[in-house]
Amino acid sequence: MTKIVDDRHLDLGGDLRISRLGFGAMRLPASTLDAPANDRGTALAVLRRAVELGANHIDTAAFYYRHGLAANELIREALGPYPSDLVIATKVGPYRGPDAPTPTGQLPASGLRAEVERNLRELGLDRLDLVYLRPGGMEAPADEPIGERFAVLAALREEGLVRHLGLSHVSTAQLAEARAIAPVAAVQNRFDVTRPDDAEMLAVCEREGIAYAPYFPLGGFGVPDDARVRAVAARHGATAAQVLLAGLLALSPVLLAIPGTGSLAHLEENMAAAGLRLTGDDLAELRG
C-alpha cells in the first residue's frame, strides 16, 4: 500500500520514497508526434537537470521513441549508474510496429515477458521498480478482461524482475480484477484539475492507498487556453503550467505529477510548481 509521507512525498508501494513531482519521458525524443527530433545533448541535459531539481520518479516506456531517439536509452546514458533513490516506472501492453509513429495494437499475454525484458535491457536494470499494464488505446477505457495479461506481470513480480505493478488507462472494474490477482501500487489514467473526469478512480485510489499518476497532467500535448487557469495564474504570478501541476499536488495526497518536456526552460518552469501553494478558492475556481 502506498503511504503518504508529507505533502510533497509518498512511499510508492509502501517502500519507494518519491517526490510527488516527477518527470515523464515521452517527449524526450520529440515534443509532439509531428515535431522533428529533439537535440540529443539537450535531452540528456534535461534528464540530468530534472534529477538535480528533485525529480526522483521518472515515467517511461520502450515504445517512447522517435527519429532514432529512445527515451529508455537516453535515461540510461544520462543517469546511469543510477542514483540509489531514483525510481523508474515503465509500461507495457501497447504494440508498436517499427514504422508506426504510435502504438497500433496490444501485445498478447504471451508477449509481455519479452517487453518487460526489453525495458530491463534498454534501461540497464536487473529489476524494474514499477511496471504498468496499459490495455486499450486512447479511447475511453473499456471493461474487457485484463486478468490473463496482469497475471503474467504478477508472475514476473514473483520472479523478482518487477518490484511493483500498476495499471494505465483502466476502469475501476479492471482495477478490481487486477487487485484480485496481485497488489496494484499505482494507476495512470487521464486527469487534470480542469478535466476531473476520473474522479471515481481517484476516490478508489485514495481509499485503497494507491498512487494516482495522471498522464497528460498539463491537459494534453499543449497547455489548454483556459480562463480559469489564467485567472489563478495571474493571482499568483505563475504560469498556466505551474497552476495545473500545483493543482494536482493540492487536490489529493495520492496524486503524482509527471510532466514531460524536451526543453530545459520548460523543465525549470515545471519543477518550480512544487513551491506554488494554491488555496481552496483556487481549486474551486479551477474545477468550476
Side-chain angles (χ1 to χ4, degrees):
M1 175 180 288
T2 290
K3 299 177 182 178
I4 298 164
V5 177
D6 54 40
D7 66 345
R8 288 296 179 265
H9 301 85
L10 55 75
D11 286 346
L12 181 69
D15 61 359
L16 294 175
R17 183 153 300 182
I18 59 172
S19 169
R20 291 176 58 213
L21 182 55
F23 181 81
M26 183 177 70
R27 298 190 186 192
L28 283 175
S31 298
T32 68
L33 293 178
D34 299 325
N38 286 333
D39 175 72
R40 182 183 188 87
T42 300
L44 295 173
V46 165
L47 282 163
R48 293 174 181 134
R49 184 59 177 153
V51 171
E52 289 174 357
L53 293 173
N56 72 331
H57 168 216
I58 295 179
D59 182 88
T60 186
F63 52 86
Y64 288 172
Y65 62 87
R66 296 281 291 165
H67 309 299
L69 292 179
N72 280 357
E73 293 169 356
L74 290 168
I75 291 168
R76 181 177 183 176
E77 180 176 346
L79 303 177
Y82 298 116
S84 60
D85 66 340
L86 183 66
V87 172
I88 300 177
T90 189
K91 57 195 72 67
V92 298
Y95 168 76
R96 179 179 171 187
D99 298 322
T102 60
T104 56
Q106 282 289 311
L107 291 169
S110 60
L112 293 177
R113 171 183 281 273
E115 190 70 358
V116 166
E117 291 173 345
R118 175 186 174 189
N119 278 277
L120 286 166
R121 183 173 60 253
E122 290 179 354
L123 290 165
L125 292 169
D126 297 321
R127 180 171 66 171
L128 298 170
D129 294 319
L130 173 63
V131 175
Y132 293 95
L133 174 66
R134 182 184 171 99
M138 289 301 295
E139 69 281 354
D143 274 334
E144 77 269 15
I146 62 171
E148 181 184 7
R149 283 174 286 171
F150 194 74
V152 172
L153 298 185
L156 295 176
R157 176 176 172 267
E158 290 299 316
E159 289 183 34
L161 297 181
V162 177
R163 189 166 187 167
H164 293 298
L165 301 177
L167 293 169
S168 176
H169 204 63
V170 292
S171 67
T172 54
Q174 289 170 323
L175 173 60
E177 180 187 7
R179 294 185 71 216
I181 297 169
V184 174
V187 167
Q188 188 177 111
N189 280 6
R190 181 164 189 174
F191 187 96
D192 70 74
V193 291
T194 67
R195 179 181 166 159
D197 301 344
D198 207 37
E200 180 184 2
M201 178 67 83
L202 177 58
V204 172
C205 290
E206 289 175 334
R207 184 175 68 246
E208 302 297 334
I210 298 170
Y212 187 107
Y215 65 85
F216 288 158
L218 296 177
F221 284 106
V223 177
D225 184 15
D226 189 296
R228 297 167 297 177
V229 176
R230 291 199 305 272
V232 174
R235 282 202 297 274
H236 289 273
T239 67
Q242 289 170 337
V243 167
L244 290 169
L245 295 173
L248 286 176
L249 299 179
L251 188 60
S252 169
V254 302
L255 272 167
L256 304 175
I258 47 170
T261 182
S263 159
L264 281 166
H266 288 162
L267 172 70
E268 298 275 353
E269 175 187 334
N270 290 344
M271 296 303 295
L276 177 59
R277 297 297 192 268
L278 301 184
T279 67
D281 289 342
D282 292 330
L283 292 176
E285 182 168 357
L286 291 171
R287 295 194 300 265

